[in-house]
Amino acid sequence: MPRADHQGGRRPMRAGLDIGGTKIDAVAIDDAGTPVQRLRLATGFGEAEVLANAAAAVTGLQRLARSEFDSIGVGIPGLVDPATGRVRHAVNLGFDDTAFGSGLENLVHAPVAVENDVNAAALGAYHLMALSGPVAYLNLGTGLAAGIVVDGSLWRGARGVSGEIGHIPVDPLGAVCACGQRGCLETVASGGAIARLWPIEHAYPAQALFAAAAGGDPEALRIRALLFSGVAAAVRILVLTVDVESVVIGGGLSHVGAPLLDGVRGVLAGWAGSSTFLASLDLPGRIRLLPDGLSVAAVGAAMLGAPAAVLRP
């Protein structure tokens, strides 16, 4: 049955889905943005299966929350057109060009908003971590990208590529990036970069790299230093271009934890030691790790249903 407020009316409820390569993390939030229910389902593969499992997540949340939803938000990898809900190049999900938003609406009979998963995570991190000022969520996953929140709202930029800092070339002699450029930041500061530079059969290559570096392996130390410098460069870019107050480091590499944060802060402190300008910006003090267990992408997706959740230029 629907939840009621103190006047007897139904309280607004929104659902958010974080659709990843293997699982769907789904949450229901109340009108204050507080998560009240959560469930996880397997993602599946291919357009029909992913849509069916997304719909199952929504109906499962409805049973748990005992309420219909005013809106449903989806955070999903790939190139997303938020205006149409169309998703392209979601290769890990098994489809290349899908009208995902309208497809899900037809199954759940409620308004659906679709956003790139990193942008959704940025909105969720801003809310759940109670941050203030402009904020960047730096996603260190297979690739490298950032979501930017200004005045509590998502900033996409003129053509939707705001935060694609992983494709800023930093080394003209570096590796060729998947985007076609050479020496992009993503080629040295991402899970994909570690897999290329430190090829190893391990469930968690980054953890293995850090363990080898802690044991004194020279090549592991070199690659770890390259990673630290690359992530530090990403932080510097975000501060110098957008002047964000906070940079939240999330994504798979963030699970390395304190050793990653300490290493990046060490690089930033070293740069500040030779630049009074950088020292004045307090870059080490602006970064923080995403705490474990926060469903930031799902909560951020749910918040897409709020009218002020997206800021357009």
Side-chain angles (χ1 to χ4, degrees), residues 6 28 47 82 120-121 137 165 173 183 217-219 227-229 272:
H6 64 280
E47 177 182 350
Y137 173 82
I165 63 171
L173 301 178
D217 183 290
E219 183 63 6
L227 174 68
F228 288 158
S229 295

Side-chain angles (χ1 to χ4, degrees), residues 14 27 58 74 85 136 141 244 253 300:
R14 300 194 292 273
V27 300
V58 172
V74 175
V244 291
L253 293 188

Side-chain angles (χ1 to χ4, degrees), residues 242-256:
V242 190
D243 194 21
V244 291
E245 181 62 31
S246 304
V247 177
V248 178
I249 297 177
L253 293 188
S254 69
H255 297 302
V256 170

Side-chain angles (χ1 to χ4, degrees), residues 277-306:
F277 169 63
L278 288 182
S280 71
L281 301 179
D282 185 27
L283 298 180
R286 297 197 191 199
I287 61 175
R288 61 193 69 193
L289 283 175
L290 180 71
D292 286 336
L294 291 186
S295 298
V296 288
V299 170
M303 296 183 71
L304 294 172

Side-chain angles (χ1 to χ4, degrees), residues 12-286:
M13 293 278 288
R14 300 194 292 273
L17 310 181
D18 172 21
I19 299 181
T22 59
K23 63 174 173 51
I24 297 173
D25 187 17
V27 300
I29 65 173
D30 61 16
D31 51 343
T34 303
V36 294
Q37 296 290 347
R38 179 185 183 186
L39 64 80
R40 291 187 176 186
L41 295 177
T43 302
F45 191 77
E47 177 182 350
E49 191 171 356
V50 175
L51 277 169
N53 289 341
V58 172
T59 56
L61 278 179
Q62 287 175 336
R63 287 194 296 269
L64 291 172
R66 301 169 64 195
S67 174
E68 300 295 319
F69 295 123
D70 295 271
S71 64
I72 296 153
V74 175
I76 192 168
L79 296 179
V80 178
D81 183 348
T84 65
R86 198 161 199 93
V87 179
R88 293 184 294 127
H89 305 308
V91 292
N92 290 335
L93 300 178
F95 48 83
D96 184 61
D97 190 358
T98 299
F100 198 89
S102 60
L104 186 56
E105 284 184 351
N106 291 336
L107 294 173
V108 300
H109 309 294
V112 174
V114 186
E115 182 56 82
N116 173 266
D117 55 349
V118 175
N119 284 343
L123 199 59
Y126 177 88
H127 175 74
L128 291 175
M129 296 175 69
L131 301 172
S132 60
V135 170
Y137 173 82
L138 182 60
N139 190 72
L140 301 180
T142 302
L144 171 70
I148 297 172
V149 175
V150 178
D151 294 332
S153 300
L154 187 61
W155 176 260
R156 293 196 185 100
R159 301 194 181 188
V161 296
S162 174
E164 288 289 351
I165 63 171
H167 297 300
I168 295 176
V170 293
D171 181 3
L173 301 178
V176 176
C177 181
C179 75
Q181 300 183 101
R182 182 177 290 277
C184 289
L185 193 56
E186 183 173 294
T187 65
V188 295
S190 66
I194 290 176
R196 189 187 80 254
L197 296 169
W198 185 255
I200 185 174
E201 291 295 329
H202 195 280
Y204 304 102
Q207 300 281 3
L209 171 69
F210 273 69
D217 183 290
E219 183 63 6
L221 287 167
R222 183 189 72 83
I223 296 169
R224 189 184 67 174
L226 194 63
L227 174 68
F228 288 158
S229 295
V231 177
V235 172
R236 180 173 58 183
I237 288 169
L238 289 166
V239 171
L240 293 182
T241 55
V242 190
D243 194 21
V244 291
E245 181 62 31
S246 304
V247 177
V248 178
I249 297 177
L253 293 188
S254 69
H255 297 302
V256 170
L260 174 65
L261 186 64
D262 293 344
V264 174
R265 281 179 170 161
V267 172
L268 292 171
W271 291 346
S274 57
S275 168
T276 55
F277 169 63
L278 288 182
S280 71
L281 301 179
D282 185 27
L283 298 180
R286 297 197 191 199

